[in-house]
Amino acid sequence: MTVPAEQAAERCRAFHDVMSRRRTVRDFDPRPVPDGVVEYAIRTAATAPSGAHVQPWRFVVLTDPARKRRLREAAEAEEREFYGRRASEEWLSALAPLGTDEHKPFLETAPAVIVVFEVHKGPHTPRPYYTKESVGIAVGLLLASLHQAGLATLTHTPSPMRFLNDICERPAEERAAYVVPVGYPAPDAHVPDLRRKPLDEVMVRL
Ligand SMILES: Cc1cc2nc3c(=O)[nH]c(=O)nc-3n(C[C@H](O)[C@H](O)[C@H](O)COP(=O)(O)O)c2cc1C
């Protein structure tokens, strides 16, 4: 892609303007995602760089209400354990400003839920390198693509995630890493008032 040098900063600024409006949404409208959007967003995610070009990712798209219900029930069971027993006080207080708890209605109300798996070495899959880094970059592209299509996402990470292999019918060498509900925000969706660090707190120039 060739961009004239005099347009480069302006294009970066315009992309930043779009991306700075992305927010994690936890209340979705049930209206469906327009045709083709999820497919193109996944194509975009799959353009990510990956260690040794192994492309160690799999994206499972759930839209069937019965399957989303199973997902919600299983995730809420894990999250009850997390919030009630496993999470440290320190972790719970870091989460408090976000208002999250063990209830995950968005897993049913979002019209689509994309479960992103890391693909590890298995009978038919090669050993990946830098798997987490590669899949993380792919998910970043996925979120950016869906956002610029006007859709909201939630990056959800129930812990542990083994139960997702069964629900998504994936083999043992695939390990779920992210659950991404996608859709339009509900009319009354509320997002917490968060501050993003300014440039001088995140960039060091030497
Ligand atoms: C790796 C990762 C895991 C996350 N897990 C959860 C989660 O399980 N549940 C949740 O409600 N939000 C989760 N989030 C969303 C963050 O809370 C959110 O990105 C952060 O508060 C900043 O808000 P913003 O995305 O609106 O800028 C996660 C985000 C990341 C990057």
Side-chain angles (χ1 to χ4, degrees), residues 143-181:
L143 302 183
S145 176
L146 291 164
H147 171 67
Q148 67 83 46
L151 290 157
T153 52
L154 163 59
T155 311
H156 178 41
T157 45
S159 168
M161 298 205 209
R162 260 298 166 209
F163 71 94
L164 289 159
N165 285 69
D166 186 30
I167 290 170
C168 297
E169 301 181 21
R170 301 314 307 162
E173 64 270 22
E174 298 189 13
R175 294 184 210 151
Y178 303 84
V179 176
V180 183

Side-chain angles (χ1 to χ4, degrees), residues 8-152:
E10 171 53 25
R11 288 179 68 147
C12 279
R13 191 199 57 73
F15 188 61
H16 169 262
D17 279 358
V18 172
M19 291 312 301
S20 66
R21 290 194 293 273
R22 184 207 55 78
R23 291 302 315 274
T24 293
V25 163
R26 297 179 179 84
D27 302 293
F28 289 87
D29 193 274
R31 130 174 92 116
V33 174
D35 286 346
V37 168
V38 166
E39 290 76 5
Y40 266 104
I42 292 173
R43 284 178 204 256
T44 300
T47 67
S50 63
H53 193 48
V54 173
Q55 305 171 75
W57 41 64
R58 177 91 63 205
F59 303 87
V60 177
V61 182
L62 305 180
T63 51
D64 170 51
R67 201 166 307 236
K68 287 193 292 163
R69 171 173 287 270
R70 270 180 68 200
L71 170 63
R72 175 183 177 177
E73 285 169 357
E76 287 186 337
E78 294 288 357
E79 297 280 291
R80 270 195 296 278
E81 277 289 305
F82 174 81
Y83 282 93
R85 251 189 282 254
R86 277 201 312 270
S88 63
E89 282 306 315
E90 189 182 25
W91 198 339
L92 289 176
S93 63
L95 290 173
L98 306 177
T100 57
D101 59 22
E102 67 273 31
H103 302 291
K104 307 294 169 193
F106 49 74
L107 294 174
E108 270 193 281
T109 46
V113 179
I114 305 173
V115 185
V116 185
F117 285 80
E118 298 169 356
V119 182
H120 291 264
K121 184 168 168 46
H124 309 290
T125 50
R127 189 195 145 182
Y129 301 91
Y130 297 106
T131 316
K132 288 208 175 305
E133 295 83 349
S134 305
V135 173
I137 295 171
V139 170
L141 295 180
L142 180 77
L143 302 183
S145 176
L146 291 164
H147 171 67
Q148 67 83 46
L151 290 157

